[in-house]
Amino acid sequence: MATTVGDVERFEASRGRLEAIAYRLLGSASEAEDVVQETYLRWQAADPGRIEVPEAWLTKVLTNLCLNQLTSARARRETYFGEWLPEPLLAGDPMLGPADTAEQRESVSYAVLTVMERLSPNERAVYVLREAFDYPHREIAEILDLTEAASQQIYHRAKKHVAEGRARAEIDESAARRIVDEFLAAATSGRTEPLVRLLTADAVAVGDGGGVIPARAKGFRGALAVATFLRGLFKPGKAKRALVGGSPDVYATTANGGPALVAVLDGRVIGVMCLEVTPDGIAAFRNQVNPAKLGRATRAWAADDHGEPLLTAF
């Protein structure tokens, strides 16, 4: 049966929610778009006019497609070159989804998306559907073919794992921006001590180059090791300019709801560094430099005026 205009409109009304669910589940905007498109093809093939509750049907199909993707992704990431980090989304990206509650904002933060990589596919699905989209356990159980009791147990287990990986309080936006400014001043000072003072004792620095851009296979851990690495990262050098093709401009912005630095060269985003800022200092630097994960950020960046850069690196 041919898809009607009404069928298309019903799907399009759900597209934004489906993309936001898929992004949280997969940590990749491009993969989320692909899964939503596959959901649409299945919607067409299923005769939409005979589906009583389209939203529930679409969510079930999408979630199960994502579970299949997560299972295969685990195998791929075992051979991934270096650290794997999520694809960052800049402020205003509709794929970030709902942000009305603290739980919704937290569920799409870069730190939590990174921690969720440790969860099983089912744990991740239950956590996202419950925490970010407030689905009742009865509906989650139907989506995942579980009992309601099993959904509740999985949710509590997932929430505990996430809390263990991110047991730090949040600070307000103005304080976070002040620390970002202080960080840039310290990072470009050429000295290690000012950086160490800004970091937590257990700070980490991780980069994802995808095997395309040089990035250390294992991250740096501990305030002194991270500070030494960051001092070197921001130190000017011909080799760095040759590697990226010039001297990128660095801007302060937000990515996934948190403070971030964006490096831009000739209109192209070549790096997004997400900072995890806590009351005790900066706890983590997660630097996405894999070109395959920066296309959406580049398109979003080009759509707005960002004023003058904070500095020109290298």
Side-chain angles (χ1 to χ4, degrees):
M1 180 179 292
T3 306
T4 67
V5 172
D7 294 334
V8 175
E9 289 176 345
R10 279 195 290 175
F11 181 86
E12 291 302 325
S14 296
R15 182 182 289 276
R17 179 179 57 84
L18 295 174
E19 287 187 344
I21 292 173
Y23 172 70
R24 281 171 165 83
L25 287 176
L26 300 174
S28 166
S30 58
E31 290 181 10
E33 290 172 339
D34 290 344
V35 168
V36 171
Q37 184 59 26
E38 178 62 27
T39 303
Y40 175 67
L41 294 176
R42 297 195 180 198
W43 167 254
Q44 287 182 305
D47 187 2
R50 304 186 64 177
I51 296 173
E52 293 183 5
V53 186
E55 180 178 302
W57 189 94
L58 290 169
T59 303
K60 183 179 179 70
V61 170
L62 175 98
T63 302
N64 282 283
L65 286 170
C66 287
L67 289 177
N68 292 338
Q69 187 91 339
L70 284 170
T71 300
S72 62
R74 286 196 162 211
R76 293 197 308 272
R77 288 171 193 171
E78 287 179 0
T79 59
Y80 191 82
F81 187 86
E83 299 277 358
W84 188 96
L85 291 175
E87 180 176 350
L89 297 182
L90 301 184
D93 193 312
M95 198 176 279
L96 289 169
D100 299 325
T101 67
E103 290 78 12
Q104 289 172 336
R105 293 189 293 273
E106 180 80 354
S107 70
V108 80
S109 71
Y110 208 66
V112 166
L113 286 179
T114 303
V115 170
M116 281 200 291
E117 285 297 305
R118 307 174 191 171
L119 304 182
S120 71
N122 263 7
E123 286 174 337
R124 188 161 182 162
V126 172
Y127 181 84
V128 166
L129 291 172
R130 180 63 182 159
E131 196 80 353
F133 296 89
D134 202 28
Y135 276 81
H137 284 289
R138 175 182 54 79
E139 292 186 24
I140 296 174
E142 292 173 358
I143 290 169
L144 298 175
D145 295 323
L146 303 167
T147 65
E148 190 170 343
S151 176
Q152 292 171 337
Q153 291 173 353
I154 291 171
Y155 171 68
H156 290 304
R157 186 165 65 242
K159 193 167 185 178
K160 180 181 178 182
H161 290 330
V162 171
E164 288 172 350
R166 182 173 161 71
R168 294 184 171 95
E170 293 296 310
I171 67 171
D172 63 69
E173 186 176 343
S174 61
R177 175 56 194 268
R178 186 187 69 250
I179 292 178
V180 169
D181 290 340
E182 291 176 357
F183 160 69
L184 275 179
T188 55
S189 70
R191 298 167 55 226
T192 303
E193 295 79 7
L195 279 168
V196 171
R197 288 196 294 269
L198 292 176
L199 307 179
T200 61
D202 58 350
V204 299
V206 180
D208 179 351
V212 179
I213 301 298
R216 183 182 167 93
K218 294 293 182 181
F220 294 87
R221 299 184 180 277
L224 182 58
V226 171
T228 302
F229 161 69
L230 291 170
R231 183 192 64 190
L233 181 65
F234 282 86
K235 184 178 180 180
K238 291 182 179 179
K240 295 175 186 174
R241 290 193 293 273
L243 177 65
V244 301
S247 298
D249 292 326
V250 178
Y251 298 80
T253 185
T254 60
N256 294 74
L261 296 171
V262 176
V264 182
L265 182 65
D266 298 329
R268 178 171 54 92
V269 173
I270 64 169
V272 178
M273 179 183 283
C274 297
L275 282 64
E276 185 178 348
V277 180
T278 76
D280 298 323
I282 305 175
F285 299 86
R286 298 181 176 95
N287 196 21
Q288 183 56 262
V289 292
N290 183 350
K293 298 181 183 181
L294 295 172
R296 189 178 179 97
T298 292
R299 294 191 296 273
W301 189 263
D304 290 313
D305 178 19
H306 302 278
E308 295 298 315
L310 296 179
L311 62 91
T312 297
F314 314 152

